[in-house]
Amino acid sequence: MENTLNDAPLAAPVAASRKQRDLLYFAAILGFLLLINFVAQRFFFRIDMTEEKRYTMSPATKTLLRDLKQPVTITVYLTGDFPPAFRRLEQGVRETLTEFQVYGGANLNYIFIDPSAAGTEAARNQFYASLIKKGLKPTNLGATENGKRVEKIIFPWAVVSVGGQDKNVLLLRGNQAAAADVRLNQSIEGLEYELASTIRALVPGLRKRIGVIEGHGELSNAQAGDMLSTWQQQYDVYRVTLSKVPDLRALDAVVVAQPKSPYSEDDKFKLDQFITQGGKALFFVDALRVDLDSVSRNGVALATPYNLNLDDLFFKYGLRVNQNLLLDLNCGQIPLVTGMEGNKPKIEPMPWQLYPLINKFSPHPITRNLDAVYLKFVGNLDTVKAVGIRKTPLMTTSRYTRVLPAPVPINFNDARLEPNPKLYQKGFQPVAYLLEGQFPSLFANRARPGTLQFQPEKSPNGKPSKVLVISDGDFIRSEIDPKTGNPYRLGFDRLANTEFANRELVLNATDYLLDETGLISVRGKQITLRPLDKVKLAEQRRRWQLLNLGAPLALLGLFGAVRAWRRKRRYARFAA
């Protein structure tokens, strides 16, 4: 009895102390969480645990987004009820934009719109039509889902809006000849560059200046119209006649597009000084002259060498444009009359080995994940020794290539003949080179043409530069629409109704040559494709479904049983 009286007054303080302790614990945990949140808002960091660092933005992208001075809105139309393969691309876009928003802050916003969300077919078709009117072409892409072929009309596009200007971004890129999964993976790899480069193009800033050389029979404004208008979206573009300007120092890059007459020594001197002093250059040159009008009239004509007076310049820089034509079994087509239908000629497309289709590229940021490109009457390139110049072959013909030295007879009737594979054994032939480094001057220790001004062995103004050479002048020429007289998009082939990637390659090359931020290097980003074993997936599907559904329930049941056992044991001891 004495013990009972002594214990009763002690019960209330013990309960109060435990309550205070619990409140203190709760307050401490709440304060710790608030502190973590406060610190996280001011000192953001994240750890990318993926092997290929897929969630890590390049320094150039971060700088671009942090320096945004005005709001950027990105509207994405790639969302909806997709098969899993397409949802992976949509998820890739979401992750990329989420990462963009981390660095862009309040100046970068994005929204996703489902083009198929309308409740009625009429409203849906009306919305489709409005998107097509904006230039967003739908894609009917197929995939295999649960062993069944699935097709879906999607709009793999985003629209970037900055300061009242809009620019469309195609999100589904890659090589069309590749499998659907590979192409989707290539598209995911290119998302950061496509979106970041579009933002950069729309954000006002210092625009580079490109000079398109004329005066030697180069492509006209109409023939190069699509590429000129594409460049003008990002750069200031000028036509430049070398004989009328003292030098090219006011420019950042020059383009030589399919010249047909020789460059004078003084014109060549200006080009040489521009390149050796850090100016960038893109050459699209033919080695042989092919007159298709003469072939049409006479049935046959000879392709003979051009005299552009540029061979010694290229040779000094470490490159030689060979005077030949390449025939490739992987080729485009030309329309030929194959007979008569009534009183009308029957015209059919026939393979034309002189129009190679190129899909063999080096893993360089300019050509990585690029679709096939289309060439016409192309020759091969060789490299020669040039100290300090790094030479990168960007693309080659297929392994089934034939080389014909000049002069080469051109006859449309050759397309009617079955090619002999034994003649196409020259293997991969390079048709484009990127040259980088400190270029030696062709005029070192020589007088400037027409003067007595001797040039030093090394120019005091010399700087590293970059030069692109493609041995096909037609590479940059657009076909002209006979009805409107306007140029088609560069790379569009009317006969195949297909657009090849010529435009994308030239734009990538221009960005690579002129980009000082390093943003173009993002195109080298690689995400490893880790496909599931489809056979094993089909065999073990039910097992994994049961495991995924049953394992959580089993764990939950086990946890409940253990907890009930512990409570029972604890209170049984207390009651005893």
Side-chain angles (χ1 to χ4, degrees), residues 50-54 88 181 185-186 188-189 368 525-531:
T50 57
E51 181 182 356
E52 61 268 31
K53 301 298 178 188
R54 65 168 61 189
R88 195 163 67 88
D181 286 347
N185 202 57
Q186 292 174 345
I188 294 172
E189 290 175 347
R368 180 173 165 70
K525 191 173 185 177
Q526 183 173 3
I527 297 175
T528 305
L529 187 61
R530 299 179 176 88

Side-chain angles (χ1 to χ4, degrees), residues 86-137:
F86 304 140
R87 282 204 297 271
R88 195 163 67 88
L89 178 59
E90 178 194 353
Q91 184 62 26
V93 178
R94 286 186 185 276
E95 290 170 352
T96 303
L97 291 178
T98 302
E99 197 74 14
F100 272 31
Q101 202 169 45
V102 168
Y103 299 103
N107 275 335
L108 193 138
N109 300 288
Y110 65 87
I111 56 174
F112 278 75
I113 295 177
D114 181 2
S116 305
T120 64
E121 185 175 354
R124 188 163 53 246
N125 290 336
Q126 186 177 3
F127 190 70
Y128 285 172
S130 68
L131 294 181
I132 294 172
K133 190 175 181 180
K134 291 180 182 177
L136 311 183
K137 296 181 180 178

Side-chain angles (χ1 to χ4, degrees), residues 549-563:
L549 290 173
L553 294 176
L555 288 173
L556 188 61
L558 180 63
F559 173 76
V562 170
R563 190 168 184 272

Side-chain angles (χ1 to χ4, degrees), residues 256 263 265 267-276 281 283 308-320 384 386 435 439-443 446 467 469:
V256 177
Y263 277 62
E265 288 298 308
D267 289 350
K268 197 163 56 178
F269 175 81
K270 291 171 184 173
L271 278 179
D272 175 77
Q273 293 301 295
F274 176 71
I275 293 170
T276 55
F283 289 91
L308 302 178
N309 195 26
L310 292 174
D311 291 345
D312 52 353
L313 188 74
F314 291 142
F315 198 85
K316 188 70 176 180
Y317 296 165
L319 198 67
R320 183 172 60 204
V384 295
L435 310 177
F439 288 83
S441 173
L442 176 65
F443 294 88
R446 293 170 52 188
V467 172
V469 180

Side-chain angles (χ1 to χ4, degrees), residues 281-285 314 317 319-321 381 392 394-395 431-435 467-472:
L282 299 94
F283 289 91
F284 305 90
V285 293
F314 291 142
Y317 296 165
L319 198 67
R320 183 172 60 204
V321 181
L381 300 171
T392 305
L394 293 179
M395 55 184 180
V431 294
Y433 264 97
L434 175 69
L435 310 177
V467 172
L468 172 76
V469 180
I470 296 180
S471 56
D472 178 20

Side-chain angles (χ1 to χ4, degrees), residues 216-219 223 255-263 282-292 303-311 314 319-326 354-356 374-381 395 404 406 408 410 431-432 468-477 502:
H216 313 86
E218 290 89 351
L219 296 179
Q223 292 169 325
V255 178
V256 177
Q258 201 175 37
K260 298 179 180 64
S261 58
Y263 277 62
L282 299 94
F283 289 91
F284 305 90
V285 293
D286 289 324
L288 302 188
R289 179 195 303 273
V290 179
D291 188 350
L292 287 180
T304 53
Y306 272 121
N307 175 22
L308 302 178
N309 195 26
L310 292 174
D311 291 345
F314 291 142
L319 198 67
R320 183 172 60 204
V321 181
N322 294 318
Q323 296 180 340
N324 55 37
L325 286 182
L326 304 180
L354 286 163
Y355 287 179
Y374 198 29
L375 284 79
K376 297 178 178 178
F377 304 113
V378 60
N380 63 2
L381 300 171
M395 55 184 180
L404 295 180
V408 180
I410 307 296
V431 294
L468 172 76
V469 180
I470 296 180
S471 56
D472 178 20
D474 292 304
F475 193 86
I476 199 173
R477 188 175 71 174
N502 298 44

